[in-house]
Amino acid sequence: MKIGIVCYPTFGGSGVLATELGMALSEKGHEVHFITYQQPVRLHFHPNIYYHEVAVPTYPLFDFPPYETALASTMVNVILNNNLDVLHVHYAIPHASAAYFARQILKKTGRDIPFITTLHGTDITLVGKDHTYSPVVTFSINESDAITAVSQNLKDETYRSFPIDKEIQVITNFVDMKRFRHSDKNHFKKMLAPNDERILVHVSNFRKVKRVGDVIKVFEKVHAQMPSKLLMIGDGPERPGAEELCRSLNICNDIRFLGKQEQMDEILSITDLFVLPSEYESFGLSALEAMACGVPVISTNAGGLPEINEHGKTGFLSNVGDIEDMARNAIDILGSEERLRGFKQAALSHARTFDKNHIVPLYEELYTEVVARYKEQQPSV
Ligand code: GMT
């Protein structure tokens, strides 16, 4: 099949998932065309992968260059020039409305194709709900030929927040267990934790919803009980505040802000505990990648997190903002070698249920079904 994938090309989970999906599909023999404004960070070369950059020309009149118009036009050109069968857009804003626009244009040529929208999180829960966007988001989701959500919680949230009159299918996020696996990185561990301190890790885009200050506060309590180090991976608007907090708590020596990292499997291989205290998380792909490397998770019970983090088995769930509980749970896991080992094994075995080999075929089935249904619906000429 020839598949177009539209996503944000950055380190965000929706772009990561879309890129991993495209790469997995290309390995299975599909021809995959990425349409994005930059090369996606996780994209590796494969003979079946094509990349089409969305260029947004500027003009002195444009205070806000019309990205959505450029994206829709690029979609039209790529679909026509490459004879695509289906378009799969990740993150509704503005990808679903651009796809709708492209499909309408293509209808005039008789070469229109169906589009599938995958909802990822804040396109529904934060940004999408805003009344500046919601009429367009509602319309373009309803106009999609199929809709998927990355967790049951996100599906429920979507129905709660928007008048959606179509079925939303849950296809959970997945992980490549061959790449995300524990490997021996002891030399690396020695550099960061020379005295065999416990290593805690947080990964995010450091936005408000991630509550990065809570990570530092939880770590302060763990650190008071046992020799430990915290690695803060990623970057974003809340980073300066988090750095200030670790200075004011006087624990900077044991916290490293490493910025955006590509070799997450290596970092996760030396990690003992993953901390994700988000206000909301539709799924928590970063936590799943940690679990695949055998790392237990301390998280909140918000959104879809209980769907991946099994309380008392793969880690623990706490109420949003309950620093005391998260710290107590972290100390409980890290306090005994045997207990830590048990949690690590459970995290790894639960991650296996989200292996890409189980999930990618669900997307393939959906593509086949949507393309067949779309063809059937076409008026015969
Ligand atoms: O919604 C966002 O904040 C952006 C999005 C992204 O591009 O990073 O993250 C969401 O999608 C990920 C992949 O499906 C999920 O793992 C994240 O939980 C989700 N983030 C939120 O719901 C806050």
Side-chain angles (χ1 to χ4, degrees):
M1 206 175 263
K2 293 185 176 191
I3 303 151
I5 290 190
V6 180
C7 64
Y8 283 100
T10 52
F11 276 94
S14 62
V16 165
L17 193 279
T19 309
E20 295 283 352
L21 174 61
M23 292 193 302
L25 291 165
S26 72
E27 278 157 21
K28 297 184 91 176
H30 299 284
E31 188 175 300
V32 180
H33 293 256
F34 281 91
I35 305 171
T36 59
Y37 61 79
Q38 241 172 44
Q39 176 107 356
V41 283
R42 285 228 187 142
L43 189 61
H44 298 301
F45 175 75
H46 186 283
N48 290 339
I49 286 185
Y50 297 78
Y51 165 64
H52 309 271
E53 191 153 305
V54 182
V56 190
T58 53
Y59 183 69
L61 183 66
F62 299 155
D63 280 341
F64 304 99
Y67 173 66
E68 197 174 335
T69 307
L71 175 60
S73 298
T74 312
M75 286 171 175
V76 169
N77 292 334
V78 172
I79 291 167
L80 287 178
N81 295 338
N82 299 280
N83 254 323
L84 300 193
D85 298 302
V86 63
L87 186 64
H88 187 178
V89 303
H90 291 259
Y91 203 90
I93 306 169
H95 302 151
S97 46
Y100 167 74
F101 200 1
R103 195 186 59 192
Q104 292 309 100
I105 295 168
L106 288 165
K107 275 194 170 148
K108 299 270 179 203
T109 68
R111 291 175 60 194
D112 50 316
I113 61 166
F115 78 91
I116 296 168
T117 301
T118 290
L119 308 171
H120 277 274
T122 50
D123 44 353
I124 295 302
T125 57
L126 282 177
V127 195
K129 269 186 197 165
D130 190 307
H131 70 275
T132 14
Y133 294 115
S134 60
V136 173
V137 172
T138 308
F139 177 81
S140 52
I141 292 175
N142 275 325
E143 282 295 325
S144 307
D145 295 288
I147 311 155
T148 75
V150 298
S151 64
Q152 182 60 43
N153 174 271
L154 185 61
K155 172 179 172 171
D156 298 343
E157 275 296 321
T158 308
Y159 282 130
R160 259 196 295 275
S161 312
F162 300 91
I164 300 301
D165 52 28
K166 280 204 170 135
E167 174 59 23
I168 300 177
Q169 184 179 344
V170 175
I171 301 185
T172 66
N173 286 337
F174 59 85
V175 62
D176 181 348
M177 300 287 302
K178 283 215 180 92
R179 186 147 52 86
F180 282 89
R181 63 191 169 89
H182 178 86
S183 57
D184 184 3
K185 296 282 168 209
N186 269 343
H187 58 289
F188 178 35
K189 182 161 185 165
K190 271 265 163 290
M191 280 174 356
L192 289 165
N195 301 311
D196 219 17
E197 295 92 339
R198 295 289 195 212
I199 297 185
L200 290 79
V201 164
H202 170 75
V203 181
S204 78
N205 45 26
F206 286 56
R207 277 186 268 147
K208 260 204 160 45
V209 69
K210 303 292 177 180
R211 297 183 67 100
V212 286
D214 288 4
V215 180
I216 311 281
K217 290 178 197 161
V218 168
F219 177 68
E220 186 206 12
K221 293 189 183 301
V222 174
H223 187 253
Q225 298 293 320
M226 63 185 74
S228 44
K229 301 275 183 187
L230 171 64
L231 307 180
M232 298 287 280
I233 319 285
D235 218 330
E238 299 295 307
R239 177 170 165 176
E243 291 197 40
E244 181 53 41
L245 181 60
C246 74
R247 277 192 291 275
S248 70
L249 295 174
N250 211 10
I251 44 175
C252 286
N253 284 349
D254 290 311
I255 302 181
R256 296 276 291 268
F257 286 82
L258 296 178
K260 294 172 183 166
Q261 293 289 329
E262 283 188 39
Q263 297 306 322
M264 275 315 301
D265 50 318
E266 293 189 8
I267 295 173
L268 291 169
S269 287
I270 63 160
T271 302
D272 294 303
L273 191 67
F274 191 81
V275 186
L276 194 62
S278 306
E279 179 96 35
Y280 179 81
E281 209 63 68
S282 68
F283 184 88
L285 183 59
S286 57
L288 175 60
E289 290 180 343
M291 286 162 60
C293 294
V295 180
V297 175
I298 289 294
S299 75
T300 52
N301 51 15
L305 284 168
E307 293 174 48
I308 59 163
N309 189 13
E310 292 191 306
H311 188 69
K313 284 187 182 164
T314 63
F316 284 104
L317 301 162
S318 306
N319 291 331
V320 174
D322 194 341
I323 313 283
E324 289 294 337
D325 194 50
M326 285 185 257
R328 203 171 26 247
N329 291 334
I331 293 162
D332 176 40
I333 294 178
L334 296 172
S336 122
E337 237 7 279
E338 197 188 326
R339 203 152 161 69
L340 178 58
R341 207 174 312 118
F343 273 90
K344 283 185 171 189
Q345 273 159 10
L348 172 60
S349 101
H350 191 49
R352 286 198 184 106
T353 60
F354 298 92
D355 186 342
K356 76 170 183 180
N357 296 327
H358 306 316
I359 312 290
V360 173
L362 302 179
Y363 280 114
E364 289 178 286
E365 279 165 32
L366 180 66
Y367 296 156
T368 308
E369 186 259 310
V370 167
V371 169
R373 178 161 38 92
Y374 196 76
K375 278 189 184 142
E376 264 168 37
Q377 284 165 0
Q378 297 309 296
S380 47
V381 270

